Amino acid sequence: MAGNQKQAGTRNLTAKASGTAGAGEASPWRRLKVGSIVFGVVLALGLALTLFGGGEGTKGKATPKTPASSTPTSQAGGSGPGAKAKTVKDGVPVGYPRTKDGAAAAAVNYQVARSSPGYFTDPALRHQVLKTMMTSSALANQQAQDDQSTKALMVALGVTEKTAPEMVMRAASLGTSVRSYSEDTATVKVWMSEVVGVPTEKSKMPVSGSWSTYTLILQWQDGDWKVATIDLTDGPTPLVAPDQSASSTDEMRLANKEFEAPRYAG
């Protein structure tokens, strides 16, 4: 959008965005630790939230639908040359080849599965996702941390049953790097772009963008790649284009309804 229109809907949080409220501060994904993944929220005008993390949010008092236990292979998706998941279990693509590309595909799709509104608003869905993607030894700790952090996040963002359907949570992979690989374990770095917030006029957090690199250690367990640990660092983060400005609240709300988030990578 051009120049003088009031920008209330989105915010680009980059370290060098001069003249932008909140520039140089922590991105919205940094201060909530979900397992070993840290998300944070820092708003303009001194409003700092201490917590943040996606699917579809809840509508009214209805409980989000539990995803089907399986999906045809053609819809499973994947990432990397020749690497595709065989099927989808509890909303998560599973069944990867025991290869370097298979590990990269699993890392991307598992992180995307943890980046939807439903993951944060529906405990049953969250538990299903974690049970599907985590190793048996890592599951209990990850679930306990995610439950605690997501509850605090909803309070920090002021998300209610009324505003939950408006929540925006999107994540997309910009690339992968397999740092180490064997038939039993792999370390994969995933560079991701993330968008999160609530596009309402009185939102504690307007929709904001950030860039992160996730490092996932995967282990081959029960015939598939599973996540043992996840870590996070900032960036790489691009500059905001000088001829672009944030969209209004109304534009962001309409875009969130018009554009469906890709279910999986690949």
Side-chain angles (χ1 to χ4, degrees):
M1 282 179 53
N4 295 326
Q5 184 171 348
K6 181 180 179 182
Q7 307 299 330
T10 60
R11 177 170 302 145
N12 290 303
L13 299 183
T14 59
K16 298 180 181 179
S18 60
T20 302
E25 300 178 10
S27 80
W29 296 71
R30 294 297 172 264
R31 295 188 180 179
L32 170 65
K33 186 165 186 179
V34 179
S36 55
I37 296 183
V38 183
F39 301 111
V41 178
V42 177
L43 299 184
L45 303 177
L47 176 59
L49 304 181
T50 58
L51 299 171
F52 184 71
E56 297 179 348
T58 57
K59 294 184 178 181
K61 296 184 179 179
T63 300
K65 294 182 179 179
T66 299
S69 59
S70 63
T71 299
T73 305
S74 61
Q75 299 179 28
S79 176
K84 297 288 183 180
K86 293 181 180 179
T87 188
V88 175
K89 179 181 179 181
D90 294 327
V92 184
V94 295
Y96 297 94
R98 198 172 187 176
T99 63
K100 184 181 295 186
D101 289 336
V108 171
N109 283 330
Y110 289 161
Q111 188 54 40
V112 170
R114 299 181 70 243
S115 304
S116 71
Y119 185 86
F120 292 87
T121 59
D122 182 5
L125 172 60
R126 180 166 62 252
H127 294 173
Q128 288 173 345
V129 169
L130 290 173
K131 185 177 181 180
T132 301
M133 63 177 277
M134 301 301 299
T135 63
S136 56
S137 60
L139 175 59
N141 182 62
Q142 187 79 42
Q143 180 172 303
Q145 291 188 3
D146 280 23
D147 286 347
Q148 181 180 9
S149 297
T150 53
K151 181 179 180 180
L153 169 64
M154 296 298 99
V155 174
L157 294 183
V159 175
T160 64
E161 288 185 347
K162 182 178 180 180
T163 60
E166 300 292 338
M167 187 187 305
V168 178
M169 289 188 183
R170 307 283 182 101
S173 170
L174 301 178
T176 60
S177 174
V178 180
R179 309 302 291 178
S180 65
Y181 172 79
S182 72
E183 288 189 347
D184 297 319
T185 185
T187 300
V188 182
K189 298 180 73 174
V190 184
W191 181 27
M192 299 192 75
S193 176
E194 300 136 337
V195 177
V196 60
V198 182
T200 60
E201 293 296 339
K202 296 182 179 180
S203 173
K204 291 183 178 181
M205 180 180 169
V207 181
S208 306
S210 65
W211 289 262
S212 310
T213 295
Y214 296 89
T215 301
L216 293 85
I217 297 178
L218 301 103
Q219 296 177 357
W220 188 260
Q221 186 176 96
D222 299 329
D224 205 356
W225 290 109
K226 302 288 185 178
V227 179
T229 66
I230 310 172
D231 200 5
L232 171 74
T233 57
D234 292 347
T237 301
L239 291 172
V240 177
D243 60 344
Q244 290 186 324
S245 57
S247 298
S248 68
T249 297
D250 287 341
E251 285 180 311
M252 183 53 63
R253 184 186 301 114
L254 291 173
N256 190 46
K257 293 179 179 179
E258 178 182 0
F259 297 98
E260 292 185 4
R263 293 185 65 187
Y264 315 114

